[in-house]
């Protein structure tokens, strides 16, 4: 099996999360990205394509702070082909510590209570080598995910200020 990074193999296999997901950005994400690249206007307010997504009964902090009264939330604009604005030919063009927090945490699943035991769905785990775990293949650290999760839930209430 190829030794390529899993995200590269994924992009050959199917559309990636950078092409299919709406990327919510906190005000902190917005500031960090603007400071990094000097770019503005890379987000828009849009409702979820799946209305059930807005029904976050398991996470009232998310529901009460992410969505505006009209059901929209701030997401990264997409390119004409549907890719994330920040998706380049070699992956995300933003440094890891500048990317939106939800991008950094993925594929860990979470609520306000913390990182879930089960990973989010979406990564093509059938591309993993025998015995290899998804988090190992992505070279992710649970401690980093916990730190970014804490930062996300610290930033969410600022949406209402």
């Amino acid at each position: 099996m190829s030794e390529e990074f899993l995200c590269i193999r994924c992009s050959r296999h199917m559309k990636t999360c950078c092409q299919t997901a709406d990327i919510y950005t906190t005000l902190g994400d917005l500031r960090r990205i603007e400071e990094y690249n000097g770019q503005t206007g890379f987000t828009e307010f849009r409702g979820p394509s799946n209305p059930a997504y807005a029904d976050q009964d398991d996470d009232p902090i998310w529901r009460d702070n992410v969505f505006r009264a009209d059901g929209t939330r701030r997401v990264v604009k997409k390119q004409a082909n549907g890719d994330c604005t920040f998706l380049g030919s070699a992956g995300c063009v933003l440094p890891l510590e500048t990317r939106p927090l939800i991008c950094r945490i993925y594929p860990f699943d979470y609520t306000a209570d913390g990182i879930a035991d089960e990973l989010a769905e979406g990564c093509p785990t059938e591309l993993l080598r025998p015995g290899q775990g998804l988090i190992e293949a992505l070279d992710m650290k649970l401690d980093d995910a916990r730190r970014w999760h804490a930062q996300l839930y610290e930033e969410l209430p600022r949406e209402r200020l």
Side-chain angles (χ1 to χ4, degrees):
M1 184 173 286
S2 170
E3 291 300 319
E4 291 178 310
F5 190 63
L6 179 62
C7 296
I8 295 170
R9 285 183 274 151
C10 174
S11 69
R12 289 194 233 286
H13 182 69
M14 59 190 223
K15 287 196 171 246
T16 70
C17 51
C18 300
Q19 298 167 302
T20 61
D22 284 329
I23 308 300
Y24 168 74
T25 55
T26 66
L27 288 173
D29 292 327
L30 198 65
R31 181 186 49 76
R32 285 184 291 275
I33 294 169
E34 287 176 353
E35 286 176 3
Y36 172 75
N37 65 12
Q39 184 181 359
T40 60
F42 52 84
T43 61
E44 63 186 338
F45 284 90
R46 190 172 56 233
S49 56
N50 179 357
Y53 178 76
D55 186 19
Q56 301 279 333
D57 286 340
D58 63 334
D59 193 341
I61 292 175
W62 185 270
R63 180 195 62 219
D64 295 347
N65 293 286
V66 168
F67 296 97
R68 299 188 321 176
D70 65 359
T72 63
R73 77 266 193 244
R74 184 184 321 98
V75 295
V76 175
K77 289 181 179 176
K78 294 184 177 246
Q79 301 176 42
N81 64 0
D83 292 357
C84 174
T85 293
F86 300 113
L87 181 61
S89 61
C92 186
V93 299
L94 298 173
L96 181 61
E97 292 289 335
T98 304
R99 295 176 190 169
L101 288 162
I102 66 168
C103 295
R104 292 187 243 171
I105 297 171
Y106 188 81
F108 287 103
D109 203 0
Y110 54 87
T111 65
D113 295 332
I115 302 290
D117 291 334
E118 299 294 323
L119 296 173
E121 295 179 4
C123 287
T125 54
E126 66 273 17
L127 298 178
L128 296 172
R129 290 187 303 268
Q132 184 182 39
L134 179 59
I135 299 307
E136 171 191 345
L138 296 174
D139 194 25
M140 295 186 73
K141 309 286 185 284
L142 182 57
D143 286 345
D144 287 338
R146 287 182 176 140
R147 177 172 52 90
W148 295 324
H149 173 270
Q151 186 177 356
L152 175 64
Y153 280 86
E154 179 184 301
E155 291 183 8
L156 285 177
R158 294 180 192 162
E159 298 288 327
R160 297 284 178 205
L161 298 178

